[in-house]
Amino acid sequence: MSGFYIKATWSYRVLSFLGKSLTIWPLDRGQSKGLGLLLNCFWWFYLLNYVAILVPTFYGLYNNRRNIVSASYSWIESTVFTEAIAVMIFSRWQRSRLESLFRLAEKQLAVKKRRVVRFYANYYAIVYLATLAFYVCVVMMYIILEKPKTGNNELALSASYPFRLEDSPIKWLLWVNQAIVFVHAYIVANFDGIAVFLIFTCTDRLKQLDKHFRDSRSYEHLVACVREHNDVLALIKDTNRILRFMVLKTTAFFMSYVFGAGLQILNASLS
């Protein structure tokens, strides 16, 4: 890939745009207060949409408790929405820490002298774009090919509602609600991409620190390296807090996904 280079700043801008659109990327303190208020309203808008879909999804899980296949679909969908809510709440709770980390990463990438190794910048961008494409394919396949049959076949998801949907104007509102949460659920992949990007910036800082230590020729240079080491250590500690949540989240919800898929496999083997 010597002749092919995707700038790390491009990856940062894509992450920033998607993160702000999904309301998990904190704004800088100097940015417009109106934009901050708008994103705050969208955060609550997305959260209310998740609540509006989680309640009927759990209701569908209860109604289809004797149908393992339908119940497993409801279980998987409720896991997706719960994971997205967890990411939203965590990113809001850690807003100040994320803002500090993003500001440092942006300054690091803005240095004219290229500091980020091309190999890592290329592969990060390629893997992230591949993840985005994979998510879109999974969503389309789920809606088109693996649409759950729970009695409410007019809608895309397995949520059940205590009223008839035929010729009902509210049906279109439910379609909009399900479309919003399905698209916004990409917040999970975006957050994981942000966490990996923070690892990427920490790796670059460590490589630069190693180079500075090797190039130091005086006591003053060595003192500067020690100060830089302390800064990098603080950066790694803050990043580790984000990564700890990502690992715990991924482990817990992956087990939940496996449980739902395992029910389908067990049902298929017994039938």
Side-chain angles (χ1 to χ4, degrees):
M1 289 192 179
S2 58
F4 178 69
Y5 176 46
I6 300 176
K7 293 182 179 180
T9 51
W10 295 353
S11 298
Y12 179 86
R13 290 169 185 169
V14 171
L15 282 176
S16 176
F17 173 76
L18 292 176
K20 291 175 182 177
S21 301
L22 299 172
T23 66
I24 61 171
W25 189 284
L27 295 177
D28 294 334
R29 296 177 183 177
Q31 289 187 301
S32 171
K33 292 183 178 180
L35 179 59
L37 178 61
L38 178 63
L39 293 181
N40 185 59
C41 292
F42 269 108
W43 189 90
W44 284 104
F45 172 75
Y46 290 135
L47 183 62
L48 291 176
N49 271 276
Y50 278 117
V51 174
I53 192 63
L54 266 178
V55 173
T57 301
F58 286 133
Y59 181 65
L61 178 63
Y62 175 78
N63 285 343
N64 297 292
R65 61 188 182 278
R66 300 184 184 279
N67 186 334
I68 294 180
V69 175
S70 297
S72 64
Y73 276 117
S74 297
W75 179 272
I76 293 173
E77 290 172 9
S78 62
T79 301
V80 172
F81 304 143
T82 305
E83 184 176 7
I85 292 175
V87 171
M88 290 180 63
I89 295 175
F90 178 81
S91 61
R92 195 173 182 85
W93 176 44
Q94 296 290 330
R95 180 167 47 186
S96 59
R97 177 171 284 109
L98 287 172
E99 179 185 352
S100 176
L101 290 172
F102 294 154
R103 187 167 56 250
L104 291 174
E106 186 176 15
K107 289 181 179 179
Q108 183 177 342
L109 297 177
V111 176
K112 292 183 179 180
K113 182 180 178 181
R114 183 176 62 83
R115 301 178 60 186
V116 181
V117 181
R118 289 192 174 194
F119 178 86
Y120 293 109
N122 279 346
Y123 275 90
Y124 175 82
I126 292 172
V127 171
Y128 184 78
L129 291 176
T131 303
L132 175 60
F134 176 76
Y135 178 83
V136 173
C137 291
V138 168
V139 169
M140 297 303 297
M141 289 179 61
Y142 184 84
I143 294 177
I144 298 174
L145 302 179
E146 298 293 335
K147 182 178 179 180
K149 298 179 180 179
T150 60
N152 288 336
N153 293 327
E154 296 88 354
L155 300 176
L157 303 180
S158 64
S160 296
Y161 301 89
F163 47 82
R164 297 178 63 85
L165 298 177
E166 293 83 356
D167 301 326
S168 175
I170 200 173
K171 173 183 175 181
W172 301 107
L173 293 177
L174 297 178
W175 259 108
V176 172
N177 168 242
Q178 295 191 2
I180 289 173
V181 296
F182 227 144
V183 173
H184 189 266
Y186 180 71
I187 189 176
V188 176
N190 185 255
F191 180 83
D192 292 347
I194 289 173
V196 175
F197 188 81
L198 293 176
I199 297 176
F200 173 61
T201 55
C202 287
T203 302
D204 179 61
R205 288 292 300 273
L206 287 172
K207 287 181 176 292
Q208 291 296 317
L209 178 62
D210 177 69
K211 183 177 182 301
H212 292 164
F213 265 116
R214 294 177 184 275
D215 294 341
S216 60
R217 294 292 183 269
S218 64
Y219 176 78
E220 290 76 12
H221 289 165
L222 188 60
V223 170
C225 289
V226 172
R227 291 175 180 171
E228 184 180 359
H229 171 269
N230 293 334
D231 293 339
V232 173
L233 183 61
L235 172 65
I236 293 175
K237 287 182 178 179
D238 284 341
T239 302
N240 190 50
R241 293 177 183 269
I242 308 300
L243 297 179
R244 188 181 298 117
F245 168 77
M246 186 191 74
V247 172
L248 292 176
K249 170 191 69 67
T250 303
T251 302
F253 287 102
F254 179 77
M255 292 175 62
S256 183
Y257 292 131
V258 170
F259 176 76
L263 289 177
Q264 295 190 25
I265 296 174
L266 180 62
N267 180 71
S269 62
L270 294 178
S271 59

